Structure formats: C-alpha cells, structure tokens
Amino acid sequence: MKALRLHAPGDLRLDDVAAPAPGPGEITVRIEAAGICGTDRHLFRSEFPCTPPVTLGHEFCGIVTAIGDGETHIAPGDRVTCDPNIACGTCAQCTRGRIHLCENLCAIGIHRDGGFAEQVAIPAHRAFVLPPSLDPALGALAEPLACCIHGVDRGAPLPGERVLVIGGGVIGLLCVQLARLAGAHVSLLTRSPDKRALAETMGASHTAATPQAALAECPAGYDLVLECAGVPDTVVAAPALTARGGRIVVLGVLAQRAQVSIEPFDLLFREIDLKTSFLNPFTQGRAADLIASGRLSLAPLVSRTVPLSRAAAAITEPAAPGDIRVMVVPD
Ligand code: NAP
C-alpha cells in the first residue's frame, strides 16, 4: 500500500509499504480522510519531536477492515475516528487521570504509523464509532474538535458570559461553536475578513480584526479569552482583553523557546487565571458524539481535498491563504 512517510527532517516520501495487520487488541482501518494539521508541517521541519521513519497523519477517519485478538466494541465495517494519543496507563500522571500528560505518551502519526496511508493499525480502545452516513472528511475533524472541547472545558464558559476567541483557523472556529453551544456571547478576533464572515455563520455575534476593535466591543474585557492563534502577539494581547476575575486559556502552540512578556502584577491585581490546554484527554468520544449529532457547522471548515499521491507538497509547502483544513483522501 502507499504511505506518506517522514524519513528524516525535510525528507517526506510516498512509499510502498506492507499493509498493516492488526496485533492483539488492535484494529486496522482503511483511511477515508485524514486532515493536514500545522503539527505535520512542524514535524517535517523538525520543530516538533517525532520518531522517524514514521507515516504521518494523526487526524483521520476510516472504515474498520480487520480486528485483532481480543474483545472490542468495534466491528468490521464500522466508520471510526481515532484518538491518536496512547497513554501508558501506569505512570504518575496516568494514575492521576492526566493521560494527556503521560510520561510515555505515544502518538499515532508522530511516534508510530498514522493516517496518511491507505490503511493504519490502531489500538481498538483509541477508536470511536461514527455514523455510517457521515461524510468522512467531517469525521476526520474529531481530533481537533476533541482538543477544543478540552480547551473549552478548561475555560468553562457560562451561559451569558462574554467569550473572545483569538484566531480564526479550525481550532478557533470550533471553539467559537463550542462556546456558543455553552450559551456564551462569542466574539472572534482574526485578521481575515473571510474567516470573520464564516465565524458569523457559526454563532459569533461579533468579530474584530484587531485587539483594539475587540476591546471596543467589550470595554470591560471578556470573561474568557481562548487564544487559538498560537503566535506571541496574541498571547501578549490576551490579558488586556480579559475582564477582572476572568480566564485566559492558551490552546495555540507557540514555537518552542518562543518568549512573551506578560505583567504578573496585572494578572494578580485583576486575578486573571492564565491556563493552557493540551491535547484531548477523554474528549475524543464526546467529539465523535457531537459530530454525529449534526449540531456543529463543519463542512465549511474543509477547504479542499488532495489525493494521497499529492499530499507531500501540501505538507511541505506553507498553508495556502484561506485554507482552514485540507483533507488527504485515497487516490
Ligand atoms: P491556523 O489555521 O494557523 O489558525 C490560526 C489563525 O490565527 C490563523 O488562521 C490566523 O487567521 C490567526 N492569526 C494569526 N495571527 C494572528 C493575529 N496576530 N491576530 C489575530 N489572529 C491571528 O491554526 P489552527 O489549526 O486553527 O490551530 C491553532 C493553534 O492551535 C495552532 O497553534 C495549533 O498548533 C494549536 N493547536 C493546539 C492544540 C492543543 O491541544 N492545544 C491542538 C491542535 C492545534 P487570520 O489570518 O485571519 O488572522
């Protein structure tokens, strides 16, 4: 079968490899759609640790083709999404329930073969069933959605609160929808007029192109700011956009070793809670259920699809302007 494998930083190739067979407790999945995430570009450029040679792709959806030894809730023919993060279950963090902070975390598509391939083998307990009628490209959004659910859980918006989402990529636009479902008034700060217009169709009641415009809309500051741009400027801007007693959750991944300047006195004097949100602990199933419910607007987040044979270029080149999520599909 074909698989898009990272052999070393800067060396991504479409290889012919043996199709995987499911080991004990595993299933194999025929890939229908796999999303290209910014992390894939970071992996290619060696800006994020991984263990090459490895088949990339950690956001995917497909059909179960075979079941290994052992009982499982999955059956051949099921459409599934995969939580790519495999925790050891025994380290100090896992035994406290913090599986996303597992000291031995192994991620499918980063440390073991992932979904930019015709098939993948995954642990059955990392698979979550989706409806047979679902567009697989929407199913492949379950992983980023699961990360957003964790971020919104961390921020805990209340009905009627004012929430500002910064960054109108897939993460920001999913957070807009989750905060709206929680009953908050949601604003989005992002520079692109197209993304602002899209956010308004997804429940944002106000959008802004600059921090100044976002603050003008809510001069006392927002109860909750969800930072989803992942750049230093927006992290620095977040405290001034947050109300007294408010919360900031940083979901955005800044470059390793990037530094920002924050005034601790201001955070303390206005008792602003500054948190981060990492990965998707116990939220992939909720994401799958939410996608199945049809309550989210997901189709506009899929900008285009590329065949597996041409996916390397889509990963090695910078994201095209206007792209939100590009899906890799089998040829
Ligand atoms: P993305 O497509 O790059 O979206 C980020 C958006 O931020 C861009 O579309 C850009 O839109 C906006 N932006 C950039 N600079 C800005 C600025 N100065 N002011 C306002 N908006 C700005 O990325 P994504 O896939 O949505 O992911 C967002 C972040 O979350 C990334 O850092 C990603 O690595 C991270 N992430 C975190 C987790 C987690 O578990 N915490 C999981 C997945 C992804 P405009 O051009 O419209 O400004």
Side-chain angles (χ1 to χ4, degrees), residues 147 166-172 189-192 195 228-231 234 251-253 277-279 325:
C147 294
I166 307 179
V170 74
I171 298 295
L189 164 57
T190 202
R191 297 163 305 180
S192 147
K195 290 175 187 164
C228 302
V231 294
T234 50
L251 289 92
V253 180
S277 174
F278 184 52
L279 299 181
R325 206 35 125 229

